Amino acid sequence: MSDWATVSARKMFGGYGLYREGLMFALIAEDELFFKADSNNVAQFERAGSRPFVYRSKDRSVQMS
C-alpha cells in the first residue's frame, strides 16, 4: 500500500484497524481482512462473496459496516 498512502494500524476488537490519513478503511481480525463498505459499494463486496465483520457484545451480535 506504500504507493497508495501512508497506512497506520491501531489495536481494535482484538485485531487492528487500518487507517489512511486518520480515516479507518479496514480491519484485520482473526486473520481476516475486512474493508469498510457503504451504500455505494456494499453490493460489490457482497457479489464478490465478502461478508461483514460481526462481533459479540455482552448481550448481542453487532454487525459493522
Side-chain angles (χ1 to χ4, degrees):
M1 289 186 213
S2 63
D3 290 340
W4 179 52
T6 300
V7 173
S8 61
R10 296 183 203 156
K11 287 187 177 188
M12 174 181 280
F13 299 113
Y16 292 89
L18 299 181
Y19 295 79
R20 177 185 185 215
E21 297 176 357
L23 297 174
M24 185 177 171
F25 68 91
L27 173 72
I28 299 172
E30 300 175 14
D31 294 323
E32 291 188 64
L33 176 63
F34 297 89
F35 287 101
K36 288 189 65 77
D38 61 23
S39 60
N40 294 318
N41 61 14
V42 71
Q44 291 174 295
F45 282 110
E46 290 171 345
R47 282 193 301 274
S50 295
R51 57 184 172 68
F53 175 71
V54 177
Y55 71 93
R56 182 98 179 122
S57 71
K58 293 179 184 177
D59 57 349
R60 63 189 174 108
S61 293
V62 179
Q63 180 175 306
M64 304 296 287
S65 63

Short mmCIF file of all heavy atoms in Angstrom, two decimals:
data_model
loop_
_atom_site.label_atom_id
_atom_site.label_comp_id
_atom_site.label_asym_id
_atom_site.label_seq_id
_atom_site.Cartn_x
_atom_site.Cartn_y
_atom_site.Cartn_z
N MET A 1 0.81 -1.20 0.00
CA MET A 1 0.00 0.00 0.00
C MET A 1 0.85 1.26 0.00
O MET A 1 0.31 2.36 -0.04
CB MET A 1 -0.91 0.01 1.22
CG MET A 1 -2.02 -0.99 1.16
SD MET A 1 -3.12 -0.75 2.57
CE MET A 1 -3.60 -2.42 2.82
N SER A 2 2.16 1.10 0.02
CA SER A 2 3.02 2.28 0.13
C SER A 2 2.87 3.22 -1.07
O SER A 2 3.09 4.42 -0.92
CB SER A 2 4.47 1.86 0.30
OG SER A 2 4.91 1.15 -0.85
N ASP A 3 2.50 2.71 -2.24
CA ASP A 3 2.28 3.60 -3.38
C ASP A 3 0.97 4.37 -3.26
O ASP A 3 0.78 5.39 -3.92
CB ASP A 3 2.26 2.80 -4.69
CG ASP A 3 3.63 2.26 -5.06
OD1 ASP A 3 4.64 2.79 -4.54
OD2 ASP A 3 3.69 1.31 -5.84
N TRP A 4 0.05 3.87 -2.45
CA TRP A 4 -1.27 4.47 -2.29
C TRP A 4 -1.25 5.60 -1.26
O TRP A 4 -1.72 6.69 -1.52
CB TRP A 4 -2.27 3.39 -1.89
CG TRP A 4 -3.66 3.83 -1.66
CD1 TRP A 4 -4.44 4.57 -2.50
CD2 TRP A 4 -4.47 3.56 -0.53
NE1 TRP A 4 -5.68 4.76 -1.95
CE2 TRP A 4 -5.72 4.15 -0.73
CE3 TRP A 4 -4.25 2.85 0.66
CZ2 TRP A 4 -6.76 4.06 0.19
CZ3 TRP A 4 -5.29 2.77 1.56
CH2 TRP A 4 -6.52 3.37 1.32
N ALA A 5 -0.70 5.32 -0.07
CA ALA A 5 -0.65 6.31 1.00
C ALA A 5 0.04 5.70 2.20
O ALA A 5 0.29 4.49 2.26
CB ALA A 5 -2.06 6.73 1.40
N THR A 6 0.33 6.54 3.17
CA THR A 6 0.83 6.05 4.45
C THR A 6 -0.34 5.42 5.20
O THR A 6 -1.39 6.05 5.34
CB THR A 6 1.44 7.19 5.27
OG1 THR A 6 2.51 7.77 4.53
CG2 THR A 6 1.94 6.70 6.61
N VAL A 7 -0.17 4.20 5.64
CA VAL A 7 -1.21 3.47 6.36
C VAL A 7 -0.70 3.20 7.77
O VAL A 7 0.43 2.77 7.96
CB VAL A 7 -1.56 2.14 5.65
CG1 VAL A 7 -2.52 1.31 6.47
CG2 VAL A 7 -2.13 2.43 4.26
N SER A 8 -1.56 3.47 8.76
CA SER A 8 -1.21 3.18 10.14
C SER A 8 -2.19 2.15 10.69
O SER A 8 -3.27 1.93 10.12
CB SER A 8 -1.24 4.45 10.99
OG SER A 8 -2.53 5.03 10.98
N ALA A 9 -1.81 1.52 11.78
CA ALA A 9 -2.66 0.49 12.40
C ALA A 9 -2.81 0.79 13.89
O ALA A 9 -1.87 1.25 14.53
CB ALA A 9 -2.04 -0.89 12.20
N ARG A 10 -4.02 0.54 14.39
CA ARG A 10 -4.31 0.69 15.82
C ARG A 10 -5.04 -0.56 16.30
O ARG A 10 -5.90 -1.08 15.59
CB ARG A 10 -5.21 1.90 16.07
CG ARG A 10 -4.58 3.21 15.71
CD ARG A 10 -5.52 4.35 16.06
NE ARG A 10 -5.17 5.52 15.24
CZ ARG A 10 -5.99 6.49 14.95
NH1 ARG A 10 -7.23 6.47 15.38
NH2 ARG A 10 -5.59 7.50 14.22
N LYS A 11 -4.71 -0.99 17.51
CA LYS A 11 -5.39 -2.16 18.07
C LYS A 11 -6.88 -1.89 18.22
O LYS A 11 -7.28 -0.80 18.64
CB LYS A 11 -4.80 -2.53 19.42
CG LYS A 11 -3.45 -3.16 19.30
CD LYS A 11 -2.97 -3.67 20.64
CE LYS A 11 -1.64 -4.38 20.44
NZ LYS A 11 -1.19 -5.05 21.64
N MET A 12 -7.70 -2.89 17.85
CA MET A 12 -9.15 -2.74 17.89
C MET A 12 -9.80 -4.11 17.79
O MET A 12 -9.42 -4.91 16.94
CB MET A 12 -9.58 -1.86 16.71
CG MET A 12 -11.05 -1.71 16.52
SD MET A 12 -11.41 -0.68 15.09
CE MET A 12 -11.15 0.92 15.81
N PHE A 13 -10.80 -4.39 18.63
CA PHE A 13 -11.57 -5.64 18.58
C PHE A 13 -10.67 -6.87 18.59
O PHE A 13 -10.96 -7.87 17.94
CB PHE A 13 -12.47 -5.69 17.34
CG PHE A 13 -13.49 -4.59 17.27
CD1 PHE A 13 -13.41 -3.63 16.29
CD2 PHE A 13 -14.52 -4.54 18.18
CE1 PHE A 13 -14.35 -2.61 16.21
CE2 PHE A 13 -15.46 -3.52 18.12
CZ PHE A 13 -15.38 -2.56 17.14
N GLY A 14 -9.57 -6.82 19.27
CA GLY A 14 -8.65 -7.95 19.29
C GLY A 14 -7.84 -8.08 18.02
O GLY A 14 -7.09 -9.03 17.85
N GLY A 15 -7.97 -7.13 17.11
CA GLY A 15 -7.21 -7.11 15.87
C GLY A 15 -6.63 -5.72 15.67
O GLY A 15 -6.22 -5.08 16.63
N TYR A 16 -6.64 -5.25 14.42
CA TYR A 16 -6.08 -3.94 14.11
C TYR A 16 -6.96 -3.20 13.12
O TYR A 16 -7.37 -3.76 12.11
CB TYR A 16 -4.67 -4.08 13.51
CG TYR A 16 -3.67 -4.59 14.51
CD1 TYR A 16 -3.46 -5.94 14.67
CD2 TYR A 16 -2.97 -3.69 15.31
CE1 TYR A 16 -2.56 -6.41 15.62
CE2 TYR A 16 -2.07 -4.15 16.25
CZ TYR A 16 -1.86 -5.51 16.40
OH TYR A 16 -0.99 -5.96 17.34
N GLY A 17 -7.23 -1.94 13.40
CA GLY A 17 -7.89 -1.06 12.44
C GLY A 17 -6.82 -0.46 11.55
O GLY A 17 -5.75 -0.08 12.03
N LEU A 18 -7.08 -0.39 10.25
CA LEU A 18 -6.14 0.22 9.31
C LEU A 18 -6.66 1.60 8.92
O LEU A 18 -7.83 1.76 8.58
CB LEU A 18 -5.99 -0.65 8.06
CG LEU A 18 -5.45 -2.06 8.29
CD1 LEU A 18 -5.34 -2.81 6.97
CD2 LEU A 18 -4.12 -2.03 9.02
N TYR A 19 -5.77 2.58 8.96
CA TYR A 19 -6.14 3.98 8.75
C TYR A 19 -5.29 4.62 7.66
O TYR A 19 -4.10 4.36 7.56
CB TYR A 19 -5.93 4.79 10.04
CG TYR A 19 -6.84 4.37 11.16
CD1 TYR A 19 -6.57 3.24 11.92
CD2 TYR A 19 -7.98 5.10 11.45
CE1 TYR A 19 -7.41 2.85 12.95
CE2 TYR A 19 -8.83 4.73 12.48
CZ TYR A 19 -8.53 3.60 13.22
OH TYR A 19 -9.37 3.22 14.24
N ARG A 20 -5.94 5.45 6.88
CA ARG A 20 -5.27 6.29 5.89
C ARG A 20 -5.68 7.72 6.18
O ARG A 20 -6.88 8.03 6.22
CB ARG A 20 -5.70 5.92 4.47
CG ARG A 20 -5.07 6.82 3.43
CD ARG A 20 -5.61 6.50 2.05
NE ARG A 20 -4.90 7.30 1.07
CZ ARG A 20 -5.44 7.79 -0.02
NH1 ARG A 20 -6.72 7.56 -0.28
NH2 ARG A 20 -4.73 8.49 -0.85
N GLU A 21 -4.70 8.57 6.42
CA GLU A 21 -4.95 9.97 6.73
C GLU A 21 -5.99 10.12 7.84
O GLU A 21 -6.89 10.96 7.78
CB GLU A 21 -5.36 10.73 5.48
CG GLU A 21 -4.27 10.75 4.42
CD GLU A 21 -4.68 11.41 3.13
OE1 GLU A 21 -5.85 11.84 2.99
OE2 GLU A 21 -3.81 11.51 2.24
N GLY A 22 -5.91 9.27 8.86
CA GLY A 22 -6.79 9.35 10.02
C GLY A 22 -8.14 8.69 9.87
O GLY A 22 -8.90 8.63 10.83
N LEU A 23 -8.48 8.18 8.70
CA LEU A 23 -9.77 7.54 8.47
C LEU A 23 -9.61 6.02 8.38
O LEU A 23 -8.79 5.52 7.61
CB LEU A 23 -10.42 8.05 7.19
CG LEU A 23 -10.77 9.53 7.17
CD1 LEU A 23 -11.28 9.93 5.79
CD2 LEU A 23 -11.80 9.86 8.23
N MET A 24 -10.42 5.32 9.16
CA MET A 24 -10.35 3.86 9.13
C MET A 24 -10.98 3.34 7.85
O MET A 24 -12.08 3.74 7.48
CB MET A 24 -11.09 3.28 10.33
CG MET A 24 -10.97 1.79 10.43
SD MET A 24 -11.80 1.20 11.90
CE MET A 24 -11.73 -0.54 11.59
N PHE A 25 -10.28 2.44 7.17
CA PHE A 25 -10.81 1.86 5.93
C PHE A 25 -10.88 0.35 5.97
O PHE A 25 -11.53 -0.27 5.12
CB PHE A 25 -10.00 2.32 4.70
CG PHE A 25 -8.59 1.77 4.66
CD1 PHE A 25 -8.33 0.57 4.01
CD2 PHE A 25 -7.55 2.44 5.26
CE1 PHE A 25 -7.04 0.05 3.96
CE2 PHE A 25 -6.26 1.94 5.22
CZ PHE A 25 -6.01 0.75 4.58
N ALA A 26 -10.25 -0.27 6.96
CA ALA A 26 -10.27 -1.73 7.03
C ALA A 26 -9.95 -2.19 8.44
O ALA A 26 -9.45 -1.43 9.27
CB ALA A 26 -9.27 -2.33 6.04
N LEU A 27 -10.22 -3.47 8.68
CA LEU A 27 -9.96 -4.10 9.96
C LEU A 27 -9.36 -5.47 9.71
O LEU A 27 -9.84 -6.21 8.84
CB LEU A 27 -11.28 -4.25 10.73
CG LEU A 27 -11.24 -5.05 12.03
CD1 LEU A 27 -10.53 -4.25 13.12
CD2 LEU A 27 -12.66 -5.39 12.48
N ILE A 28 -8.31 -5.79 10.44
CA ILE A 28 -7.77 -7.15 10.43
C ILE A 28 -8.17 -7.78 11.75
O ILE A 28 -7.84 -7.26 12.82
CB ILE A 28 -6.23 -7.15 10.29
CG1 ILE A 28 -5.82 -6.49 8.99
CG2 ILE A 28 -5.70 -8.58 10.40
CD1 ILE A 28 -4.32 -6.28 8.85
N ALA A 29 -8.95 -8.86 11.68
CA ALA A 29 -9.41 -9.55 12.89
C ALA A 29 -9.45 -11.04 12.62
O ALA A 29 -9.94 -11.48 11.57
CB ALA A 29 -10.80 -9.06 13.28
N GLU A 30 -8.92 -11.82 13.55
CA GLU A 30 -8.92 -13.27 13.44
C GLU A 30 -8.35 -13.72 12.09
O GLU A 30 -8.91 -14.57 11.40
CB GLU A 30 -10.32 -13.83 13.66
CG GLU A 30 -10.87 -13.48 15.04
CD GLU A 30 -12.30 -13.93 15.25
OE1 GLU A 30 -12.82 -14.73 14.46
OE2 GLU A 30 -12.90 -13.45 16.23
N ASP A 31 -7.24 -13.12 11.70
CA ASP A 31 -6.53 -13.45 10.46
C ASP A 31 -7.34 -13.20 9.20
O ASP A 31 -7.11 -13.84 8.17
CB ASP A 31 -6.02 -14.89 10.48
CG ASP A 31 -4.97 -15.12 11.54
OD1 ASP A 31 -4.14 -14.20 11.75
OD2 ASP A 31 -4.94 -16.19 12.14
N GLU A 32 -8.33 -12.31 9.27
CA GLU A 32 -9.12 -11.94 8.10
C GLU A 32 -9.07 -10.42 7.92
O GLU A 32 -8.99 -9.67 8.89
CB GLU A 32 -10.58 -12.37 8.24
CG GLU A 32 -10.77 -13.86 8.19
CD GLU A 32 -12.25 -14.22 8.14
OE1 GLU A 32 -12.91 -13.85 7.14
OE2 GLU A 32 -12.72 -14.84 9.09
N LEU A 33 -9.15 -9.98 6.66
CA LEU A 33 -9.16 -8.56 6.32
C LEU A 33 -10.58 -8.17 5.94
O LEU A 33 -11.19 -8.78 5.06
CB LEU A 33 -8.22 -8.29 5.14
CG LEU A 33 -8.19 -6.87 4.60
CD1 LEU A 33 -7.68 -5.89 5.65
CD2 LEU A 33 -7.31 -6.81 3.35
N PHE A 34 -11.12 -7.16 6.63
CA PHE A 34 -12.46 -6.65 6.37
C PHE A 34 -12.34 -5.20 5.93
O PHE A 34 -11.77 -4.39 6.66
CB PHE A 34 -13.33 -6.71 7.64
CG PHE A 34 -13.57 -8.09 8.15
CD1 PHE A 34 -12.69 -8.68 9.05
CD2 PHE A 34 -14.69 -8.80 7.75
CE1 PHE A 34 -12.92 -9.96 9.54
CE2 PHE A 34 -14.92 -10.08 8.23
CZ PHE A 34 -14.04 -10.66 9.11
N PHE A 35 -12.87 -4.86 4.75
CA PHE A 35 -12.89 -3.47 4.29
C PHE A 35 -14.20 -2.82 4.71
O PHE A 35 -15.26 -3.47 4.70
CB PHE A 35 -12.75 -3.39 2.77
CG PHE A 35 -11.37 -3.70 2.28
CD1 PHE A 35 -11.06 -4.94 1.77
CD2 PHE A 35 -10.38 -2.73 2.35
CE1 PHE A 35 -9.78 -5.22 1.32
CE2 PHE A 35 -9.09 -3.01 1.91
CZ PHE A 35 -8.80 -4.26 1.39
N LYS A 36 -14.14 -1.55 5.07
CA LYS A 36 -15.37 -0.82 5.36
C LYS A 36 -16.15 -0.64 4.06
O LYS A 36 -15.57 -0.43 3.01
CB LYS A 36 -15.06 0.55 5.98
CG LYS A 36 -14.56 0.42 7.41
CD LYS A 36 -14.46 1.73 8.12
CE LYS A 36 -15.76 2.42 8.35
NZ LYS A 36 -16.60 1.93 9.40
N ALA A 37 -17.45 -0.74 4.16
CA ALA A 37 -18.32 -0.58 2.99
C ALA A 37 -19.38 0.46 3.30
O ALA A 37 -19.64 0.77 4.45
CB ALA A 37 -18.99 -1.92 2.65
N ASP A 38 -19.97 1.00 2.24
CA ASP A 38 -21.07 1.94 2.40
C ASP A 38 -22.12 1.65 1.34
O ASP A 38 -22.00 0.68 0.59
CB ASP A 38 -20.59 3.40 2.35
CG ASP A 38 -19.93 3.77 1.04
OD1 ASP A 38 -20.20 3.12 0.01
OD2 ASP A 38 -19.16 4.73 1.01
N SER A 39 -23.14 2.46 1.28
CA SER A 39 -24.24 2.19 0.34
C SER A 39 -23.77 2.22 -1.12
O SER A 39 -24.43 1.65 -1.99
CB SER A 39 -25.37 3.20 0.55
OG SER A 39 -24.90 4.52 0.33
N ASN A 40 -22.65 2.85 -1.39
CA ASN A 40 -22.14 2.93 -2.77
C ASN A 40 -21.41 1.66 -3.22
O ASN A 40 -21.33 1.40 -4.42
CB ASN A 40 -21.20 4.12 -2.93
CG ASN A 40 -21.90 5.43 -2.76
OD1 ASN A 40 -23.00 5.62 -3.26
ND2 ASN A 40 -21.29 6.34 -2.03
N ASN A 41 -20.86 0.90 -2.27
CA ASN A 41 -20.06 -0.25 -2.70
C ASN A 41 -20.40 -1.57 -2.02
O ASN A 41 -19.81 -2.60 -2.34
CB ASN A 41 -18.57 0.06 -2.54
CG ASN A 41 -18.17 0.34 -1.11
OD1 ASN A 41 -18.90 0.08 -0.17
ND2 ASN A 41 -16.98 0.90 -0.94
N VAL A 42 -21.35 -1.59 -1.09
CA VAL A 42 -21.64 -2.82 -0.36
C VAL A 42 -22.10 -3.94 -1.31
O VAL A 42 -21.73 -5.11 -1.11
CB VAL A 42 -22.65 -2.58 0.79
CG1 VAL A 42 -24.04 -2.28 0.27
CG2 VAL A 42 -22.66 -3.77 1.74
N ALA A 43 -22.85 -3.62 -2.33
CA ALA A 43 -23.31 -4.66 -3.27
C ALA A 43 -22.13 -5.32 -4.00
O ALA A 43 -22.15 -6.53 -4.23
CB ALA A 43 -24.30 -4.07 -4.27
N GLN A 44 -21.12 -4.54 -4.32
CA GLN A 44 -19.93 -5.10 -4.98
C GLN A 44 -19.22 -6.10 -4.05
O GLN A 44 -18.79 -7.16 -4.50
CB GLN A 44 -18.97 -3.99 -5.38
CG GLN A 44 -19.48 -3.12 -6.50
CD GLN A 44 -18.55 -1.96 -6.75
OE1 GLN A 44 -18.38 -1.11 -5.89
NE2 GLN A 44 -17.96 -1.94 -7.92
N PHE A 45 -19.09 -5.73 -2.79
CA PHE A 45 -18.46 -6.64 -1.84
C PHE A 45 -19.29 -7.91 -1.68
O PHE A 45 -18.75 -9.02 -1.65
CB PHE A 45 -18.29 -5.96 -0.47
CG PHE A 45 -17.13 -5.01 -0.41
CD1 PHE A 45 -17.34 -3.64 -0.33
CD2 PHE A 45 -15.83 -5.47 -0.41
CE1 PHE A 45 -16.28 -2.76 -0.25
CE2 PHE A 45 -14.75 -4.60 -0.33
CZ PHE A 45 -14.98 -3.24 -0.25
N GLU A 46 -20.61 -7.79 -1.60
CA GLU A 46 -21.48 -8.96 -1.46
C GLU A 46 -21.38 -9.87 -2.67
O GLU A 46 -21.31 -11.09 -2.54
CB GLU A 46 -22.93 -8.52 -1.23
CG GLU A 46 -23.15 -7.89 0.13
CD GLU A 46 -24.51 -7.25 0.29
OE1 GLU A 46 -25.22 -7.03 -0.72
OE2 GLU A 46 -24.88 -6.95 1.45
N ARG A 47 -21.37 -9.29 -3.88
CA ARG A 47 -21.24 -10.11 -5.11
C ARG A 47 -19.91 -10.85 -5.14
O ARG A 47 -19.81 -11.94 -5.71
CB ARG A 47 -21.38 -9.22 -6.35
CG ARG A 47 -22.80 -8.86 -6.69
CD ARG A 47 -22.94 -8.27 -8.08
NE ARG A 47 -22.15 -7.07 -8.29
CZ ARG A 47 -22.54 -5.82 -7.98
NH1 ARG A 47 -23.73 -5.61 -7.46
NH2 ARG A 47 -21.76 -4.79 -8.21
N ALA A 48 -18.90 -10.26 -4.54
CA ALA A 48 -17.58 -10.90 -4.52
C ALA A 48 -17.48 -11.96 -3.42
O ALA A 48 -16.45 -12.61 -3.28
CB ALA A 48 -16.51 -9.84 -4.31
N GLY A 49 -18.57 -12.14 -2.65
CA GLY A 49 -18.57 -13.15 -1.61
C GLY A 49 -18.09 -12.66 -0.25
O GLY A 49 -17.91 -13.47 0.67
N SER A 50 -17.89 -11.37 -0.11
CA SER A 50 -17.46 -10.81 1.17
C SER A 50 -18.61 -10.82 2.16
O SER A 50 -19.78 -10.80 1.79
CB SER A 50 -16.97 -9.38 1.00
OG SER A 50 -15.82 -9.35 0.20
N ARG A 51 -18.26 -10.84 3.43
CA ARG A 51 -19.26 -10.75 4.49
C ARG A 51 -18.80 -9.71 5.50
O ARG A 51 -17.61 -9.43 5.61
CB ARG A 51 -19.47 -12.11 5.14
CG ARG A 51 -18.22 -12.71 5.71
CD ARG A 51 -18.46 -14.10 6.26
NE ARG A 51 -17.22 -14.75 6.64
CZ ARG A 51 -16.43 -14.39 7.63
NH1 ARG A 51 -16.72 -13.37 8.38
NH2 ARG A 51 -15.32 -15.05 7.89
N PRO A 52 -19.73 -9.14 6.24
CA PRO A 52 -19.36 -8.10 7.20
C PRO A 52 -18.68 -8.68 8.44
O PRO A 52 -18.85 -9.86 8.77
CB PRO A 52 -20.70 -7.46 7.57
CG PRO A 52 -21.70 -8.53 7.33
CD PRO A 52 -21.17 -9.35 6.18
N PHE A 53 -17.94 -7.83 9.11
CA PHE A 53 -17.34 -8.19 10.40
C PHE A 53 -18.44 -8.13 11.45
O PHE A 53 -19.20 -7.16 11.53
CB PHE A 53 -16.22 -7.21 10.76
CG PHE A 53 -15.64 -7.45 12.12
CD1 PHE A 53 -14.86 -8.56 12.37
CD2 PHE A 53 -15.88 -6.56 13.15
CE1 PHE A 53 -14.31 -8.78 13.62
CE2 PHE A 53 -15.34 -6.77 14.41
CZ PHE A 53 -14.55 -7.88 14.64
N VAL A 54 -18.55 -9.18 12.26
CA VAL A 54 -19.56 -9.25 13.32
C VAL A 54 -18.83 -9.60 14.61
O VAL A 54 -18.00 -10.51 14.64
CB VAL A 54 -20.63 -10.32 13.01
CG1 VAL A 54 -21.63 -10.42 14.16
CG2 VAL A 54 -21.33 -10.02 11.70
N TYR A 55 -19.13 -8.85 15.67
CA TYR A 55 -18.56 -9.20 16.96
C TYR A 55 -19.67 -9.33 17.99
O TYR A 55 -20.78 -8.85 17.78
CB TYR A 55 -17.51 -8.18 17.42
CG TYR A 55 -18.05 -6.84 17.83
CD1 TYR A 55 -18.37 -6.58 19.16
CD2 TYR A 55 -18.25 -5.82 16.89
CE1 TYR A 55 -18.87 -5.35 19.54
CE2 TYR A 55 -18.74 -4.60 17.27
CZ TYR A 55 -19.04 -4.36 18.60
OH TYR A 55 -19.54 -3.15 18.97
N ARG A 56 -19.38 -10.01 19.05
CA ARG A 56 -20.36 -10.26 20.10
C ARG A 56 -20.10 -9.31 21.25
O ARG A 56 -19.01 -9.28 21.81
CB ARG A 56 -20.24 -11.71 20.57
CG ARG A 56 -21.23 -12.11 21.60
CD ARG A 56 -22.38 -12.84 20.94
NE ARG A 56 -23.32 -13.24 21.98
CZ ARG A 56 -24.59 -12.87 21.98
NH1 ARG A 56 -25.07 -12.15 21.00
NH2 ARG A 56 -25.39 -13.24 22.93
N SER A 57 -21.12 -8.50 21.61
CA SER A 57 -21.04 -7.67 22.80
C SER A 57 -21.56 -8.49 23.97
O SER A 57 -21.78 -9.69 23.84
CB SER A 57 -21.82 -6.37 22.62
OG SER A 57 -23.21 -6.63 22.63
N LYS A 58 -21.82 -7.87 25.08
CA LYS A 58 -22.28 -8.61 26.27
C LYS A 58 -23.56 -9.39 26.00
O LYS A 58 -23.72 -10.51 26.48
CB LYS A 58 -22.51 -7.65 27.42
CG LYS A 58 -21.25 -7.03 27.94
CD LYS A 58 -21.53 -6.06 29.06
CE LYS A 58 -20.26 -5.37 29.51
NZ LYS A 58 -20.50 -4.39 30.55
N ASP A 59 -24.48 -8.82 25.23
CA ASP A 59 -25.79 -9.46 25.07
C ASP A 59 -26.32 -9.57 23.64
O ASP A 59 -27.44 -9.97 23.42
CB ASP A 59 -26.83 -8.72 25.92
CG ASP A 59 -26.92 -7.25 25.57
OD1 ASP A 59 -26.05 -6.76 24.82
OD2 ASP A 59 -27.85 -6.58 26.04
N ARG A 60 -25.48 -9.21 22.66
CA ARG A 60 -25.97 -9.27 21.28
C ARG A 60 -24.80 -9.30 20.29
O ARG A 60 -23.67 -9.01 20.63
CB ARG A 60 -26.86 -8.07 20.96
CG ARG A 60 -26.15 -6.74 21.05
CD ARG A 60 -27.12 -5.58 20.94
NE ARG A 60 -26.40 -4.34 21.16
CZ ARG A 60 -26.12 -3.46 20.21
NH1 ARG A 60 -26.49 -3.67 18.97
NH2 ARG A 60 -25.46 -2.36 20.50
N SER A 61 -25.10 -9.65 19.05
CA SER A 61 -24.13 -9.58 17.97
C SER A 61 -24.25 -8.23 17.29
O SER A 61 -25.36 -7.74 17.07
CB SER A 61 -24.37 -10.69 16.95
OG SER A 61 -24.11 -11.94 17.51
N VAL A 62 -23.10 -7.64 16.95
CA VAL A 62 -23.07 -6.33 16.32
C VAL A 62 -22.38 -6.46 14.97
O VAL A 62 -21.25 -6.94 14.90
CB VAL A 62 -22.33 -5.30 17.19
CG1 VAL A 62 -22.27 -3.95 16.52
CG2 VAL A 62 -22.98 -5.21 18.58
N GLN A 63 -23.07 -6.05 13.91
CA GLN A 63 -22.50 -6.10 12.56
C GLN A 63 -21.95 -4.73 12.20
O GLN A 63 -22.63 -3.73 12.33
CB GLN A 63 -23.59 -6.49 11.56
CG GLN A 63 -23.08 -6.57 10.13
CD GLN A 63 -24.15 -7.06 9.20
OE1 GLN A 63 -24.72 -8.12 9.41
NE2 GLN A 63 -24.40 -6.30 8.15
N MET A 64 -20.71 -4.72 11.75
CA MET A 64 -20.05 -3.47 11.35
C MET A 64 -20.24 -3.24 9.85
O MET A 64 -20.51 -4.17 9.11
CB MET A 64 -18.57 -3.51 11.70
CG MET A 64 -18.27 -3.82 13.16
SD MET A 64 -18.88 -2.55 14.29
CE MET A 64 -17.71 -1.27 13.96
N SER A 65 -20.03 -2.02 9.43
CA SER A 65 -20.16 -1.69 8.01
C SER A 65 -18.94 -2.19 7.25
O SER A 65 -18.82 -2.06 6.08
CB SER A 65 -20.33 -0.20 7.81
OG SER A 65 -19.18 0.49 8.26
#
